[in-house]
Amino acid sequence: VGFTWSLGIGVPIFLDVPRDVVRPGANIFFFGGADFGWFIIGGATGLQWNPINLNNIAGFSGKGPLTRIYLSVPEVRFQVPDLKVVLPYLSGSFDMNFWNFQETAIGCGYWYCSTYRVYRFTPGFTGRAGVGFNIKESGVHIDVGFQYSFTGKGNFFQDSGWWLSPYVGVLVRRRD
């Protein structure tokens, strides 16, 4: 049993919204898991931002980021481990999404009060397809792929949402 981890950055593009309101954003993520050869069991965590332009909606004004903090567990990845140059894979995971868009609250302690952002929960699912290009058979790979994510109804959204996120990163695979 070995260990595989990756660090990447993607560009989330929501598929079911007006493009002049919800713009492509940025997603930074970390994945890690126990590597059993043909499959990996692990998890991922990350941060995602999408710019929202309310100026393009009648009766609203302003701009701000739609922020998502997420934890994806378990993530199960199937891969073809014995190829020397490339490491193709498919994975799926259940997501715990915490969303914020300009919502704040005030919390007071004994001596002071402060403002904090309120994050609301929605369940979700993510599927990934990618290829790691091995650098000089070192176990370090350039990771390139696509992530297709779904967020369900919850405390934040009234309807389900979908987005596609092409990504690139570094994948490190260590086997005993």
Side-chain angles (χ1 to χ4, degrees):
V1 175
F3 185 75
T4 296
W5 64 270
S6 66
L7 182 65
I9 185 165
V11 179
I13 303 165
F14 277 83
L15 302 176
D16 54 354
V17 296
R19 296 269 184 266
D20 59 339
V21 176
V22 181
R23 306 295 302 154
N27 178 30
I28 299 171
F29 66 89
F30 172 81
F31 166 80
D35 190 333
F36 296 96
W38 286 88
F39 68 97
I40 299 173
I41 297 176
T45 187
L47 300 168
Q48 176 179 315
W49 301 272
N50 283 85
I52 305 295
N53 186 356
L54 295 177
N55 295 326
N56 293 328
I57 300 175
F60 292 94
S61 65
K63 296 179 181 180
L66 174 64
T67 306
R68 176 176 78 122
I69 300 171
Y70 62 94
L71 178 64
S72 302
V73 286
E75 182 165 337
V76 179
R77 180 176 288 194
F78 297 97
Q79 61 189 9
V80 181
D82 298 329
L83 303 175
K84 291 186 177 190
V85 178
V86 296
L87 179 69
Y89 62 86
L90 292 171
S91 70
S93 65
F94 293 101
D95 299 338
M96 292 177 277
N97 300 311
F98 299 92
W99 296 92
N100 173 274
F101 180 70
Q102 297 183 341
E103 182 179 359
T104 60
I106 296 176
C108 294
Y110 188 73
W111 296 102
Y112 63 92
C113 292
S114 63
T115 303
Y116 61 91
R117 292 183 180 266
V118 176
Y119 285 83
R120 300 199 178 269
F121 173 78
T122 64
F125 175 80
T126 293
R128 287 190 184 146
V131 176
F133 295 95
N134 202 342
I135 301 171
K136 297 183 181 179
E137 297 185 30
S138 63
V140 177
H141 300 74
I142 302 297
D143 190 18
V144 179
F146 287 93
Q147 173 179 315
Y148 189 70
S149 296
F150 159 82
T151 188
K153 297 177 186 179
N155 296 330
F156 189 79
F157 292 109
Q158 293 179 353
D159 295 315
S160 300
W162 302 88
W163 65 94
L164 178 66
S165 182
Y167 63 87
V168 65
V170 175
L171 182 145
V172 178
R173 185 167 187 249
R174 297 292 178 218
R175 299 281 300 163
D176 292 336

